[in-house]
Amino acid sequence: VPQHVWRINLDTSEEAHQNLSFGAADRWWEQTDLTKLILASNKLQCLSEDVQLLPALTVLDVHDNQLTSLPSALGQLENLQKLDVSHNKLKNIPEELMQLSHLRSLLFHHNELSHLPDGFGQLVNLEELDLSNNHLTHIPTSFALLVNLVRLNLSCNQLKDLPADICAMKSLRQLDCSKNYLESVPSKLVTMASLEQLYLRKNKLRFLPEFPSCKLLKELHAGENQIEILNVENLKHLNSLSVLELRDNKIKSVPDEITLLQKLERLDLANNDISRLPYSLGNLPLLKFLALEGNPLRAIRRDLLQKGTQELLKYLRSKIQDDVTSPNGDPPATAMTLPSESRVNMHAITSLKLLEYSEKQAAVVPDEMFDAVRSHPVTTVNFSKNQLSEIPPRIVELKDSVCDVSLGFNKISSVSLELCMLHKLTHLDIRNNFLTSLPEEMEALTRLQVINLSFNRLKVFPSVLYRILALETILLGNNQVGAIDPLQLKKMDRLGTLDLQNNDLLQVPPELGNCETLRTLLLEGNPFRTPRAAVLAKGTAAVLEYLRSRIP
């Protein structure tokens, strides 16, 4: 650091005398002592003791240098409020630093500290302390005196435990202890009434503490530990919790009482050992994100997990009703159900323009459903999750208005000619059926934009699809398709999404790379050798580029 920086308060510079455009009253640098000094991102190896010549400093920032020690004169800067010495090579903190009673922010992250001075508790006005990414093995008990501390980051150290006295930090809102070797959390820690965010990821925790006083805790991150049990006691007091992250643990079950967390917005339980979920999860009013992949769930199919949170919650809610009605309530509707029992929802037909008869396990759709439509223009039909073996012929009556038809999760083995007459159809969902082919007459569906044929029994790519040029999305995952015609696909200039995951493609034709409208191309789970998995993992643009490079 040039010497005149340290002496800036003492020496008047030559330029000041020469620059006559300033009157004496305007020359503020001669009257005001330096308050901020930023020396960040240089190659400093040491700081001079002359730093004491700048007693008015409130901010000193020397982060991202090559400092191996700090001058003891720092202790003289009694007005210092913020000191940033992060990203250096410091092995210890001078005791003199503990005299800086006005210090509010102290950033020591990314250094080589292996221990801290015992006098840390003297920094009573400290509000932010970052000691992450060092080599600390323990925390001095005097930390308990830091009663104004709001944010404390101890992540990425070598801590095996935390002092119980830490609970005396009554202002602490954010505590990060991720990436340490903690096997437990002191029981007193959970009496910290101000705590809002607690990070315990990547430790060796076998269980979560109970949180009797943490009424304000909004986020609890405890992924990548060895937690096996989630108890009611761990959860019942956390009235404010909005994020609960427990991925990559060994949790076997989720208690029904999880519904006590009425403010929960994100719940991450991916990669655990959970085999069943409480259906009541579906009733959490604010839940926007639920991750469950990587669990041995029996009741929930994998494709449902891939559809996203809202579909999953809808499914769980539908199961609550099943649980309520099945034991003693109404018998499930079957083919023998009388029309009078089918309960037509006129509100849905008139206001929502929706004709719905789904999840009834029915072999036929009762005539009275179609009778009820009469002259009302219905745009959406949902007959999914039944036992239909054919598409109801009377669907043709809706041809002048219907745009969206869902027939998924039935036992349909062929697409009827009646369906091919729905000339306004834009969305067709016929997944999870027994289709082996599609009729050429489907070419009449000139407005069709989205077709979902996943989980059927198609052995070849249905050639009629090549001729429906309005198609933007074709979902053919989990069939047995063995080949595709890239030249025909290239003519489909609106096609943006093509899902061929888990089929029987033995090779991917390089010319597919010329289909430049494709934004999403999914090919995982096929027996072809190239492109290799590493190329597929890079995403669609990379796959198409790779394929183009292989065109002879």
Side-chain angles (χ1 to χ4, degrees), residues 207-234:
F207 54 87
L208 274 179
E210 296 170 19
F211 294 95
S213 307
C214 299
K215 297 270 194 290
L216 299 178
L217 193 66
K218 293 186 175 70
E219 297 187 23
L220 173 57
H221 299 261
E224 295 191 57
N225 279 286
Q226 293 158 23
I227 299 166
E228 294 183 8
I229 296 177
L230 193 55
N231 277 327
V232 183
E233 297 303 319
N234 304 140

PDB file of all heavy atoms in Angstrom, residues 207-234:
ATOM      1  N   PHE A 207     -30.394 -37.573  14.125  1.00  0.00           N
ATOM      2  CA  PHE A 207     -31.786 -37.195  14.424  1.00  0.00           C
ATOM      3  C   PHE A 207     -31.879 -35.674  14.469  1.00  0.00           C
ATOM      4  O   PHE A 207     -30.874 -34.973  14.618  1.00  0.00           O
ATOM      5  CB  PHE A 207     -32.253 -37.795  15.758  1.00  0.00           C
ATOM      6  CG  PHE A 207     -31.342 -37.470  16.912  1.00  0.00           C
ATOM      7  CD1 PHE A 207     -31.500 -36.303  17.647  1.00  0.00           C
ATOM      8  CD2 PHE A 207     -30.303 -38.330  17.255  1.00  0.00           C
ATOM      9  CE1 PHE A 207     -30.651 -35.994  18.689  1.00  0.00           C
ATOM     10  CE2 PHE A 207     -29.435 -38.031  18.314  1.00  0.00           C
ATOM     11  CZ  PHE A 207     -29.614 -36.851  19.032  1.00  0.00           C
ATOM     12  N   LEU A 208     -33.093 -35.178  14.323  1.00  0.00           N
ATOM     13  CA  LEU A 208     -33.343 -33.740  14.436  1.00  0.00           C
ATOM     14  C   LEU A 208     -33.675 -33.408  15.878  1.00  0.00           C
ATOM     15  O   LEU A 208     -34.305 -34.207  16.569  1.00  0.00           O
ATOM     16  CB  LEU A 208     -34.546 -33.359  13.570  1.00  0.00           C
ATOM     17  CG  LEU A 208     -34.297 -33.055  12.103  1.00  0.00           C
ATOM     18  CD1 LEU A 208     -35.630 -32.716  11.445  1.00  0.00           C
ATOM     19  CD2 LEU A 208     -33.340 -31.896  11.941  1.00  0.00           C
ATOM     20  N   PRO A 209     -33.297 -32.216  16.337  1.00  0.00           N
ATOM     21  CA  PRO A 209     -33.705 -31.837  17.696  1.00  0.00           C
ATOM     22  C   PRO A 209     -35.189 -31.466  17.720  1.00  0.00           C
ATOM     23  O   PRO A 209     -35.823 -31.310  16.674  1.00  0.00           O
ATOM     24  CB  PRO A 209     -32.838 -30.607  17.980  1.00  0.00           C
ATOM     25  CG  PRO A 209     -32.515 -30.042  16.640  1.00  0.00           C
ATOM     26  CD  PRO A 209     -32.514 -31.189  15.670  1.00  0.00           C
ATOM     27  N   GLU A 210     -35.731 -31.342  18.915  1.00  0.00           N
ATOM     28  CA  GLU A 210     -37.074 -30.762  19.042  1.00  0.00           C
ATOM     29  C   GLU A 210     -36.888 -29.248  19.092  1.00  0.00           C
ATOM     30  O   GLU A 210     -35.863 -28.759  19.546  1.00  0.00           O
ATOM     31  CB  GLU A 210     -37.741 -31.270  20.319  1.00  0.00           C
ATOM     32  CG  GLU A 210     -37.978 -32.770  20.280  1.00  0.00           C
ATOM     33  CD  GLU A 210     -38.412 -33.322  21.636  1.00  0.00           C
ATOM     34  OE1 GLU A 210     -38.870 -32.531  22.480  1.00  0.00           O
ATOM     35  OE2 GLU A 210     -38.276 -34.531  21.837  1.00  0.00           O
ATOM     36  N   PHE A 211     -37.878 -28.534  18.627  1.00  0.00           N
ATOM     37  CA  PHE A 211     -37.733 -27.079  18.551  1.00  0.00           C
ATOM     38  C   PHE A 211     -38.820 -26.367  19.362  1.00  0.00           C
ATOM     39  O   PHE A 211     -39.694 -25.731  18.795  1.00  0.00           O
ATOM     40  CB  PHE A 211     -37.837 -26.627  17.086  1.00  0.00           C
ATOM     41  CG  PHE A 211     -36.709 -27.097  16.221  1.00  0.00           C
ATOM     42  CD1 PHE A 211     -36.820 -28.253  15.468  1.00  0.00           C
ATOM     43  CD2 PHE A 211     -35.530 -26.374  16.156  1.00  0.00           C
ATOM     44  CE1 PHE A 211     -35.771 -28.676  14.654  1.00  0.00           C
ATOM     45  CE2 PHE A 211     -34.485 -26.795  15.344  1.00  0.00           C
ATOM     46  CZ  PHE A 211     -34.600 -27.935  14.609  1.00  0.00           C
ATOM     47  N   PRO A 212     -38.771 -26.469  20.700  1.00  0.00           N
ATOM     48  CA  PRO A 212     -39.892 -25.941  21.478  1.00  0.00           C
ATOM     49  C   PRO A 212     -40.088 -24.431  21.355  1.00  0.00           C
ATOM     50  O   PRO A 212     -41.198 -23.946  21.390  1.00  0.00           O
ATOM     51  CB  PRO A 212     -39.550 -26.331  22.916  1.00  0.00           C
ATOM     52  CG  PRO A 212     -38.082 -26.596  22.911  1.00  0.00           C
ATOM     53  CD  PRO A 212     -37.743 -27.082  21.548  1.00  0.00           C
ATOM     54  N   SER A 213     -38.980 -23.672  21.180  1.00  0.00           N
ATOM     55  CA  SER A 213     -39.123 -22.210  21.224  1.00  0.00           C
ATOM     56  C   SER A 213     -39.003 -21.540  19.878  1.00  0.00           C
ATOM     57  O   SER A 213     -39.184 -20.346  19.760  1.00  0.00           O
ATOM     58  CB  SER A 213     -38.061 -21.603  22.147  1.00  0.00           C
ATOM     59  OG  SER A 213     -38.107 -22.222  23.399  1.00  0.00           O
ATOM     60  N   CYS A 214     -38.628 -22.306  18.858  1.00  0.00           N
ATOM     61  CA  CYS A 214     -38.334 -21.669  17.566  1.00  0.00           C
ATOM     62  C   CYS A 214     -39.615 -21.357  16.813  1.00  0.00           C
ATOM     63  O   CYS A 214     -39.854 -21.868  15.725  1.00  0.00           O
ATOM     64  CB  CYS A 214     -37.414 -22.559  16.739  1.00  0.00           C
ATOM     65  SG  CYS A 214     -35.845 -22.841  17.537  1.00  0.00           S
ATOM     66  N   LYS A 215     -40.415 -20.505  17.397  1.00  0.00           N
ATOM     67  CA  LYS A 215     -41.722 -20.192  16.802  1.00  0.00           C
ATOM     68  C   LYS A 215     -41.582 -19.404  15.498  1.00  0.00           C
ATOM     69  O   LYS A 215     -42.498 -19.333  14.707  1.00  0.00           O
ATOM     70  CB  LYS A 215     -42.566 -19.377  17.786  1.00  0.00           C
ATOM     71  CG  LYS A 215     -42.905 -20.106  19.083  1.00  0.00           C
ATOM     72  CD  LYS A 215     -44.211 -20.873  18.927  1.00  0.00           C
ATOM     73  CE  LYS A 215     -44.765 -21.333  20.270  1.00  0.00           C
ATOM     74  NZ  LYS A 215     -43.972 -22.400  20.884  1.00  0.00           N
ATOM     75  N   LEU A 216     -40.403 -18.748  15.304  1.00  0.00           N
ATOM     76  CA  LEU A 216     -40.216 -17.912  14.117  1.00  0.00           C
ATOM     77  C   LEU A 216     -39.434 -18.626  13.023  1.00  0.00           C
ATOM     78  O   LEU A 216     -39.215 -18.066  11.957  1.00  0.00           O
ATOM     79  CB  LEU A 216     -39.475 -16.618  14.493  1.00  0.00           C
ATOM     80  CG  LEU A 216     -40.176 -15.726  15.508  1.00  0.00           C
ATOM     81  CD1 LEU A 216     -39.319 -14.511  15.837  1.00  0.00           C
ATOM     82  CD2 LEU A 216     -41.532 -15.272  14.984  1.00  0.00           C
ATOM     83  N   LEU A 217     -38.995 -19.875  13.285  1.00  0.00           N
ATOM     84  CA  LEU A 217     -38.143 -20.576  12.314  1.00  0.00           C
ATOM     85  C   LEU A 217     -38.888 -20.752  10.990  1.00  0.00           C
ATOM     86  O   LEU A 217     -39.953 -21.358  10.940  1.00  0.00           O
ATOM     87  CB  LEU A 217     -37.720 -21.937  12.870  1.00  0.00           C
ATOM     88  CG  LEU A 217     -36.589 -22.626  12.093  1.00  0.00           C
ATOM     89  CD1 LEU A 217     -35.293 -21.830  12.218  1.00  0.00           C
ATOM     90  CD2 LEU A 217     -36.361 -24.046  12.593  1.00  0.00           C
ATOM     91  N   LYS A 218     -38.297 -20.174   9.924  1.00  0.00           N
ATOM     92  CA  LYS A 218     -38.948 -20.249   8.608  1.00  0.00           C
ATOM     93  C   LYS A 218     -38.298 -21.295   7.715  1.00  0.00           C
ATOM     94  O   LYS A 218     -38.953 -21.863   6.858  1.00  0.00           O
ATOM     95  CB  LYS A 218     -38.856 -18.883   7.905  1.00  0.00           C
ATOM     96  CG  LYS A 218     -39.662 -17.778   8.560  1.00  0.00           C
ATOM     97  CD  LYS A 218     -39.602 -16.506   7.692  1.00  0.00           C
ATOM     98  CE  LYS A 218     -40.493 -15.409   8.229  1.00  0.00           C
ATOM     99  NZ  LYS A 218     -39.983 -14.827   9.486  1.00  0.00           N
ATOM    100  N   GLU A 219     -36.977 -21.521   7.880  1.00  0.00           N
ATOM    101  CA  GLU A 219     -36.278 -22.457   7.005  1.00  0.00           C
ATOM    102  C   GLU A 219     -35.404 -23.394   7.821  1.00  0.00           C
ATOM    103  O   GLU A 219     -34.612 -22.945   8.639  1.00  0.00           O
ATOM    104  CB  GLU A 219     -35.387 -21.699   5.997  1.00  0.00           C
ATOM    105  CG  GLU A 219     -36.164 -20.813   5.055  1.00  0.00           C
ATOM    106  CD  GLU A 219     -35.274 -20.221   3.959  1.00  0.00           C
ATOM    107  OE1 GLU A 219     -34.206 -20.807   3.676  1.00  0.00           O
ATOM    108  OE2 GLU A 219     -35.656 -19.172   3.404  1.00  0.00           O
ATOM    109  N   LEU A 220     -35.570 -24.686   7.572  1.00  0.00           N
ATOM    110  CA  LEU A 220     -34.722 -25.687   8.217  1.00  0.00           C
ATOM    111  C   LEU A 220     -34.141 -26.572   7.115  1.00  0.00           C
ATOM    112  O   LEU A 220     -34.865 -27.245   6.394  1.00  0.00           O
ATOM    113  CB  LEU A 220     -35.556 -26.528   9.194  1.00  0.00           C
ATOM    114  CG  LEU A 220     -34.855 -27.721   9.834  1.00  0.00           C
ATOM    115  CD1 LEU A 220     -33.594 -27.283  10.577  1.00  0.00           C
ATOM    116  CD2 LEU A 220     -35.787 -28.441  10.804  1.00  0.00           C
ATOM    117  N   HIS A 221     -32.820 -26.502   6.967  1.00  0.00           N
ATOM    118  CA  HIS A 221     -32.127 -27.267   5.923  1.00  0.00           C
ATOM    119  C   HIS A 221     -31.257 -28.315   6.612  1.00  0.00           C
ATOM    120  O   HIS A 221     -30.291 -27.960   7.293  1.00  0.00           O
ATOM    121  CB  HIS A 221     -31.240 -26.339   5.086  1.00  0.00           C
ATOM    122  CG  HIS A 221     -32.003 -25.261   4.369  1.00  0.00           C
ATOM    123  ND1 HIS A 221     -32.354 -25.348   3.046  1.00  0.00           N
ATOM    124  CD2 HIS A 221     -32.504 -24.084   4.807  1.00  0.00           C
ATOM    125  CE1 HIS A 221     -33.032 -24.257   2.701  1.00  0.00           C
ATOM    126  NE2 HIS A 221     -33.131 -23.478   3.743  1.00  0.00           N
ATOM    127  N   ALA A 222     -31.613 -29.592   6.466  1.00  0.00           N
ATOM    128  CA  ALA A 222     -30.846 -30.652   7.139  1.00  0.00           C
ATOM    129  C   ALA A 222     -30.601 -31.822   6.196  1.00  0.00           C
ATOM    130  O   ALA A 222     -30.545 -32.975   6.607  1.00  0.00           O
ATOM    131  CB  ALA A 222     -31.579 -31.107   8.401  1.00  0.00           C
ATOM    132  N   GLY A 223     -30.454 -31.517   4.899  1.00  0.00           N
ATOM    133  CA  GLY A 223     -30.189 -32.573   3.915  1.00  0.00           C
ATOM    134  C   GLY A 223     -28.794 -33.156   4.076  1.00  0.00           C
ATOM    135  O   GLY A 223     -27.927 -32.602   4.756  1.00  0.00           O
ATOM    136  N   GLU A 224     -28.577 -34.315   3.451  1.00  0.00           N
ATOM    137  CA  GLU A 224     -27.273 -34.990   3.450  1.00  0.00           C
ATOM    138  C   GLU A 224     -26.735 -35.224   4.864  1.00  0.00           C
ATOM    139  O   GLU A 224     -25.624 -34.828   5.200  1.00  0.00           O
ATOM    140  CB  GLU A 224     -26.267 -34.201   2.588  1.00  0.00           C
ATOM    141  CG  GLU A 224     -26.681 -34.186   1.115  1.00  0.00           C
ATOM    142  CD  GLU A 224     -25.620 -33.658   0.181  1.00  0.00           C
ATOM    143  OE1 GLU A 224     -24.518 -34.218   0.176  1.00  0.00           O
ATOM    144  OE2 GLU A 224     -25.892 -32.685  -0.537  1.00  0.00           O
ATOM    145  N   ASN A 225     -27.573 -35.825   5.697  1.00  0.00           N
ATOM    146  CA  ASN A 225     -27.158 -36.294   7.010  1.00  0.00           C
ATOM    147  C   ASN A 225     -27.495 -37.777   7.098  1.00  0.00           C
ATOM    148  O   ASN A 225     -27.598 -38.445   6.073  1.00  0.00           O
ATOM    149  CB  ASN A 225     -27.857 -35.485   8.105  1.00  0.00           C
ATOM    150  CG  ASN A 225     -27.177 -34.147   8.365  1.00  0.00           C
ATOM    151  OD1 ASN A 225     -26.111 -34.089   8.955  1.00  0.00           O
ATOM    152  ND2 ASN A 225     -27.780 -33.061   7.890  1.00  0.00           N
ATOM    153  N   GLN A 226     -27.660 -38.281   8.326  1.00  0.00           N
ATOM    154  CA  GLN A 226     -28.010 -39.701   8.482  1.00  0.00           C
ATOM    155  C   GLN A 226     -29.266 -39.834   9.345  1.00  0.00           C
ATOM    156  O   GLN A 226     -29.401 -40.735  10.158  1.00  0.00           O
ATOM    157  CB  GLN A 226     -26.831 -40.446   9.123  1.00  0.00           C
ATOM    158  CG  GLN A 226     -25.626 -40.479   8.187  1.00  0.00           C
ATOM    159  CD  GLN A 226     -24.315 -40.711   8.918  1.00  0.00           C
ATOM    160  OE1 GLN A 226     -24.284 -41.249  10.015  1.00  0.00           O
ATOM    161  NE2 GLN A 226     -23.217 -40.297   8.309  1.00  0.00           N
ATOM    162  N   ILE A 227     -30.193 -38.884   9.137  1.00  0.00           N
ATOM    163  CA  ILE A 227     -31.416 -38.852   9.943  1.00  0.00           C
ATOM    164  C   ILE A 227     -32.327 -40.000   9.514  1.00  0.00           C
ATOM    165  O   ILE A 227     -32.596 -40.175   8.332  1.00  0.00           O
ATOM    166  CB  ILE A 227     -32.124 -37.497   9.763  1.00  0.00           C
ATOM    167  CG1 ILE A 227     -31.195 -36.370  10.238  1.00  0.00           C
ATOM    168  CG2 ILE A 227     -33.450 -37.462  10.499  1.00  0.00           C
ATOM    169  CD1 ILE A 227     -31.636 -34.985   9.820  1.00  0.00           C
ATOM    170  N   GLU A 228     -32.785 -40.778  10.501  1.00  0.00           N
ATOM    171  CA  GLU A 228     -33.625 -41.941  10.178  1.00  0.00           C
ATOM    172  C   GLU A 228     -35.084 -41.719  10.530  1.00  0.00           C
ATOM    173  O   GLU A 228     -35.962 -42.292   9.916  1.00  0.00           O
ATOM    174  CB  GLU A 228     -33.099 -43.180  10.921  1.00  0.00           C
ATOM    175  CG  GLU A 228     -31.728 -43.598  10.417  1.00  0.00           C
ATOM    176  CD  GLU A 228     -31.212 -44.868  11.090  1.00  0.00           C
ATOM    177  OE1 GLU A 228     -31.983 -45.502  11.830  1.00  0.00           O
ATOM    178  OE2 GLU A 228     -30.039 -45.203  10.866  1.00  0.00           O
ATOM    179  N   ILE A 229     -35.292 -40.906  11.564  1.00  0.00           N
ATOM    180  CA  ILE A 229     -36.671 -40.775  12.055  1.00  0.00           C
ATOM    181  C   ILE A 229     -37.078 -39.307  12.088  1.00  0.00           C
ATOM    182  O   ILE A 229     -36.308 -38.444  12.503  1.00  0.00           O
ATOM    183  CB  ILE A 229     -36.788 -41.369  13.477  1.00  0.00           C
ATOM    184  CG1 ILE A 229     -36.509 -42.876  13.419  1.00  0.00           C
ATOM    185  CG2 ILE A 229     -38.182 -41.119  14.047  1.00  0.00           C
ATOM    186  CD1 ILE A 229     -36.530 -43.539  14.757  1.00  0.00           C
ATOM    187  N   LEU A 230     -38.282 -39.051  11.605  1.00  0.00           N
ATOM    188  CA  LEU A 230     -38.866 -37.714  11.680  1.00  0.00           C
ATOM    189  C   LEU A 230     -40.029 -37.827  12.656  1.00  0.00           C
ATOM    190  O   LEU A 230     -41.006 -38.517  12.385  1.00  0.00           O
ATOM    191  CB  LEU A 230     -39.359 -37.327  10.283  1.00  0.00           C
ATOM    192  CG  LEU A 230     -39.717 -35.878  10.043  1.00  0.00           C
ATOM    193  CD1 LEU A 230     -38.573 -34.959  10.402  1.00  0.00           C
ATOM    194  CD2 LEU A 230     -40.099 -35.674   8.590  1.00  0.00           C
ATOM    195  N   ASN A 231     -39.893 -37.186  13.818  1.00  0.00           N
ATOM    196  CA  ASN A 231     -40.906 -37.321  14.862  1.00  0.00           C
ATOM    197  C   ASN A 231     -41.889 -36.165  14.856  1.00  0.00           C
ATOM    198  O   ASN A 231     -41.586 -35.081  14.386  1.00  0.00           O
ATOM    199  CB  ASN A 231     -40.247 -37.361  16.245  1.00  0.00           C
ATOM    200  CG  ASN A 231     -39.768 -38.758  16.588  1.00  0.00           C
ATOM    201  OD1 ASN A 231     -40.397 -39.734  16.189  1.00  0.00           O
ATOM    202  ND2 ASN A 231     -38.660 -38.846  17.299  1.00  0.00           N
ATOM    203  N   VAL A 232     -43.044 -36.431  15.455  1.00  0.00           N
ATOM    204  CA  VAL A 232     -44.015 -35.360  15.661  1.00  0.00           C
ATOM    205  C   VAL A 232     -43.364 -34.257  16.485  1.00  0.00           C
ATOM    206  O   VAL A 232     -43.532 -33.065  16.217  1.00  0.00           O
ATOM    207  CB  VAL A 232     -45.245 -35.905  16.418  1.00  0.00           C
ATOM    208  CG1 VAL A 232     -46.276 -34.806  16.567  1.00  0.00           C
ATOM    209  CG2 VAL A 232     -45.825 -37.087  15.674  1.00  0.00           C
ATOM    210  N   GLU A 233     -42.559 -34.669  17.491  1.00  0.00           N
ATOM    211  CA  GLU A 233     -41.950 -33.688  18.393  1.00  0.00           C
ATOM    212  C   GLU A 233     -41.026 -32.742  17.632  1.00  0.00           C
ATOM    213  O   GLU A 233     -40.860 -31.587  17.992  1.00  0.00           O
ATOM    214  CB  GLU A 233     -41.145 -34.398  19.492  1.00  0.00           C
ATOM    215  CG  GLU A 233     -41.988 -35.274  20.405  1.00  0.00           C
ATOM    216  CD  GLU A 233     -43.116 -34.494  21.081  1.00  0.00           C
ATOM    217  OE1 GLU A 233     -42.878 -33.343  21.501  1.00  0.00           O
ATOM    218  OE2 GLU A 233     -44.236 -35.028  21.173  1.00  0.00           O
ATOM    219  N   ASN A 234     -40.387 -33.244  16.562  1.00  0.00           N
ATOM    220  CA  ASN A 234     -39.490 -32.380  15.787  1.00  0.00           C
ATOM    221  C   ASN A 234     -40.260 -31.257  15.107  1.00  0.00           C
ATOM    222  O   ASN A 234     -39.696 -30.231  14.763  1.00  0.00           O
ATOM    223  CB  ASN A 234     -38.775 -33.168  14.684  1.00  0.00           C
ATOM    224  CG  ASN A 234     -37.998 -34.364  15.205  1.00  0.00           C
ATOM    225  OD1 ASN A 234     -38.007 -35.408  14.597  1.00  0.00           O
ATOM    226  ND2 ASN A 234     -37.325 -34.205  16.329  1.00  0.00           N
TER     227      ASN A 234
END
